[in-house]
Amino acid sequence: MSRYRPRTLALELAMTAAALCVAFPVYVLVNLALRPASDTSSPLTPTSSPTLDNFRQAWEQGALGGALANSLLVTACSVAVVLAVSALAAYPLARVTARWSRGTYLVVLLGLVLPFQLGALPLYQTMRDLGLLGTPWALVLYYAGLQVPFTVFLYTGFLRALPRDFEDAALLDGCTPLKGFRYVVLPMLKPVTVTALVLNTVAVWNDFFTPLLYLSGSGQQTMSVAIAGFVGQYVTDWNLVFAALVISVLPVLAVYFALQRSIINGFAGGLRG
């Protein structure tokens, strides 16, 4: 029977402190989002008269309905394209041992080294020539190219650690390489797929610079740009800002709770692997 030791107490105290550090900004966010504009007390003081009117005003004044729809569209399409392209590209890069495979892999990894600011101007001109400026599809195309190198890196490293026995057996039974990947390899990629899904979703959803650049001057905007619109040069209604932030966080939380079991199992499977 295990005994309660000082080391266990220290670990519990450290975990409690970490939980408080995470919970503190969430408390301030929700507290100020529910606070009326007339309340000028400290952000740490619990709101005595909470109100939901801030959410209504933020939704109407910031046109958050269209911004939320654009963010959902861009994030879903971008992540789907990134996962599909990266998984299919990483499979031959991890399994083929020819010299061209290693060279191609190193070229893909250059996307991790080169700063995206170097391509901001030529990419903007390319989007303009394609007639995509001011549309969410410009963002989908941009994120698909930006996130693929990192996701290919994740998939390739995971695939190299997987045994080839099941694939070889499938090929001997008459499966084509594509069918072997679809029915044998892809189910085994669930842990790294969940990891890539979470990382790419957070990166795309929270990006501010790219939507501001490609959607500037149009009626389209994403949640991050719409929230920034509440911050003025002389006057800023922080209660509406925090209410809009809560609205922006809710879809991500909803997806997380809906896929919580798969996400936890995916991370746990990756750790066991």
Side-chain angles (χ1 to χ4, degrees):
M1 184 175 181
S2 60
R3 300 173 56 186
Y4 192 84
R5 300 180 179 180
R7 182 179 178 182
T8 306
L9 175 61
L11 180 60
E12 290 181 351
L13 292 177
M15 295 177 64
T16 302
L20 291 176
C21 290
V22 174
F24 175 74
V26 177
Y27 161 74
V28 174
L29 173 66
V30 176
N31 188 42
L32 293 181
L34 295 174
R35 175 171 296 182
S38 58
D39 190 345
T40 59
S41 59
S42 170
L44 302 182
T45 305
T47 300
S48 58
S49 301
T51 177
L52 297 178
D53 189 59
N54 292 331
F55 296 94
R56 181 189 61 80
Q57 294 185 41
W59 185 269
E60 294 176 354
Q61 296 181 20
L64 297 186
L68 182 61
N70 286 332
S71 291
L72 291 173
L73 173 65
V74 170
T75 302
C77 294
S78 300
V79 173
V81 171
V82 168
L83 294 181
V85 172
S86 301
L88 289 172
Y91 182 56
L93 293 178
R95 289 296 187 243
V96 178
T97 57
R99 183 174 299 178
W100 67 264
S101 177
R102 180 175 296 274
T104 305
Y105 180 63
L106 294 177
V107 171
V108 172
L109 291 187
L110 284 177
L112 297 175
V113 180
L114 297 176
F116 74 93
Q117 291 87 349
L118 290 177
L121 181 58
L123 282 174
Y124 184 87
Q125 294 174 340
T126 301
M127 297 295 181
R128 179 196 61 193
D129 296 338
L130 293 175
L132 296 177
L133 286 182
T135 67
W137 305 114
L139 299 179
V140 173
L141 184 60
Y142 174 85
Y143 290 129
L146 181 67
Q147 299 298 122
V148 160
F150 174 69
T151 312
V152 168
F153 171 74
L154 291 178
Y155 273 115
T156 303
F158 192 87
L159 279 166
R160 287 175 175 173
L162 287 179
R164 303 186 58 169
D165 300 342
F166 296 104
E167 301 168 55
D168 294 338
L171 294 176
L172 290 176
D173 288 340
C175 273
T176 62
L178 185 59
K179 286 186 176 181
F181 171 79
R182 178 182 177 183
Y183 295 108
V184 178
V185 178
L186 194 58
M188 294 190 293
L189 294 180
K190 184 178 180 180
V192 69
T193 299
V194 172
T195 302
L197 172 67
V198 173
L199 296 178
N200 283 292
T201 299
V202 172
V204 174
W205 185 269
N206 291 333
D207 187 30
F208 172 77
F209 173 75
T210 307
L212 180 65
L213 178 64
Y214 290 138
L215 300 181
S216 179
S218 68
Q220 306 283 348
Q221 59 182 353
T222 59
M223 286 297 294
S224 57
V225 179
I227 293 173
F230 288 106
V231 181
Q233 183 177 0
Y234 302 104
V235 179
T236 300
D237 194 337
W238 291 108
N239 301 90
L240 299 187
V241 172
F242 286 105
L245 287 173
V246 171
I247 295 174
S248 176
V249 169
L250 289 179
V252 180
L253 290 179
V255 172
Y256 173 78
F257 286 120
L259 303 176
Q260 183 178 16
R261 184 181 298 274
S262 298
I263 293 174
I264 294 176
N265 290 339
F267 278 117
L271 292 174
R272 288 196 299 268

